[in-house]
Amino acid sequence: QVQLVESGGGSVQAGGSLRLSCAVSGYTYSDYCMGWFRQAPGKEREGVASICPGRVTTYYSDSVKGRFTISHDYPKNTLYLQMNSLRPEDTAMYYCARAVVAYPTLSKYQYKYWGQGTQVTVSS
């Protein structure tokens, strides 16, 4: 069955960096667009980055553009999110997900399969 497993979260100070990973199994990874989302306590889940195979199109939310980079490693069936210049407002649970559409999107309603999440905490 489809499985997505995130790792790489942790606690860092503002200005620091983290790289999240999402290991995928149960389907042909290169057939689907993928995304990273985050959810802080009491807030809606929001999309931060999305990537599609083929011409490798990407899409970022304004809040992370220029600081975060989404990428993937096809042989390893793994999705990444490199997060630089982290801010306290980036603190959240981060999730990877598989899209049901064939274009990069930050709408949670266009994703079907989700990982269990990895916590990122940024202190000031």
Side-chain angles (χ1 to χ4, degrees), residues 8 10 15-16 18 27 29 32 44 58 63-64 67 69 75-76 85 103 107 111-112 120 122:
L18 284 173
Y27 69 97
Y29 175 72
Y32 293 89
E44 291 284 322
T58 57
S63 61
V64 307
R67 300 188 298 123
T69 302
K76 294 183 178 180
S85 303
Y103 50 85
S107 170
Y111 288 80
K112 181 176 180 180
V120 171
V122 184

Side-chain angles (χ1 to χ4, degrees), residues 16-99:
S17 298
L18 284 173
R19 188 176 81 157
L20 306 184
S21 299
C22 172
V24 170
S25 61
Y27 69 97
T28 303
Y29 175 72
S30 59
D31 284 350
Y32 293 89
C33 298
M34 300 287 294
W36 284 100
F37 290 76
R38 67 186 181 187
Q39 187 167 18
K43 293 190 175 182
E44 291 284 322
R45 188 170 297 190
E46 63 168 344
V48 296
S50 179
I51 188 168
C52 291
R55 289 191 287 180
V56 193
T57 52
T58 57
Y59 185 29
Y60 297 93
S61 68
D62 289 343
S63 61
V64 307
K65 197 175 298 180
R67 300 188 298 123
F68 291 11
T69 302
I70 188 170
S71 63
H72 43 205
D73 186 328
Y74 288 128
K76 294 183 178 180
N77 285 350
T78 302
L79 177 74
Y80 300 103
L81 185 68
Q82 177 67 44
M83 306 186 295
N84 298 328
S85 303
L86 283 162
R87 305 167 180 168
E89 53 265 38
D90 294 318
T91 295
M93 185 72 79
Y94 282 71
Y95 301 88
C96 63
R98 193 186 88 176

